[in-house]
Amino acid sequence: MKKLVSHPNALIVDDDPMIVEMLNTALEITGLFDTVVKASNAQEGRAALAQTNFGLVIFDNNLPDGSGFQLLLDLRHDPSNKNTQAPAIFTTAALDPQTERDLKSLPLTRFLPKPYVIENVVELMVDLLGLK
């Protein structure tokens, strides 16, 4: 596996502590990221995205204070944010057809349906980051 050296930080935006820990474990397995930042809602996610460069961002859709999809859209359309082109994984248990089409049109973005296992996360991450 190739080594990612330019952006050693990853961000997880999810309000479920068990999911966050599973995603954190998946990130640790790869050994690609030195730091994993965790945000439990959209507001914390926005703050982290404004402060830190990330090599990968993982968004859950259903957050207590808003939509992870809206957060992802805002990020992709904000040229002033240094993470506009950060690779992203979007997760949710239910995806409507319009959101699915919108996701496919976003650059550097992949969808990971819930439920998933660590191996699925690692495989998708490796593919998204071009590390195969």
Side-chain angles (χ1 to χ4, degrees):
M1 183 182 303
K2 297 178 193 173
K3 180 74 173 158
L4 182 70
V5 292
S6 60
H7 297 289
N9 302 309
L11 172 64
I12 300 170
V13 184
D14 197 308
D15 62 321
D16 183 328
M18 292 185 68
I19 296 288
V20 170
E21 280 312 305
M22 184 175 73
L23 292 170
N24 188 60
T25 299
L27 292 169
E28 287 176 353
I29 286 171
T30 67
L32 297 173
F33 301 97
D34 294 335
T35 304
V36 178
V37 176
K38 300 165 189 165
S40 61
N41 58 51
Q43 181 179 357
E44 290 176 6
R46 282 183 208 285
L49 288 163
Q51 296 172 355
T52 305
N53 286 331
F54 292 101
L56 178 69
V57 182
I58 303 175
F59 297 92
D60 179 40
N61 189 43
N62 299 314
L63 300 170
D65 61 345
S67 159
F69 183 67
Q70 187 60 53
L71 181 59
L72 175 59
L73 284 177
D74 293 348
L75 174 65
R76 289 292 187 238
H77 295 103
D78 180 3
S80 67
N81 191 302
K82 56 190 155 220
N83 291 296
T84 299
Q85 294 300 315
I89 296 174
F90 179 78
T91 71
T92 189
L95 187 65
D96 65 82
Q98 182 60 49
T99 302
E100 184 173 8
R101 284 189 296 276
D102 291 344
L103 274 171
K104 288 179 180 177
S105 72
L106 294 174
L108 297 170
T109 304
R110 300 289 188 280
F111 172 60
L112 180 65
K114 288 183 179 178
Y116 47 78
V117 294
I118 289 177
E119 291 81 7
N120 297 127
V121 178
V122 172
E123 286 174 19
L124 187 62
M125 185 183 352
V126 167
D127 178 58
L128 177 62
L129 297 174
L131 301 173
K132 283 188 174 181

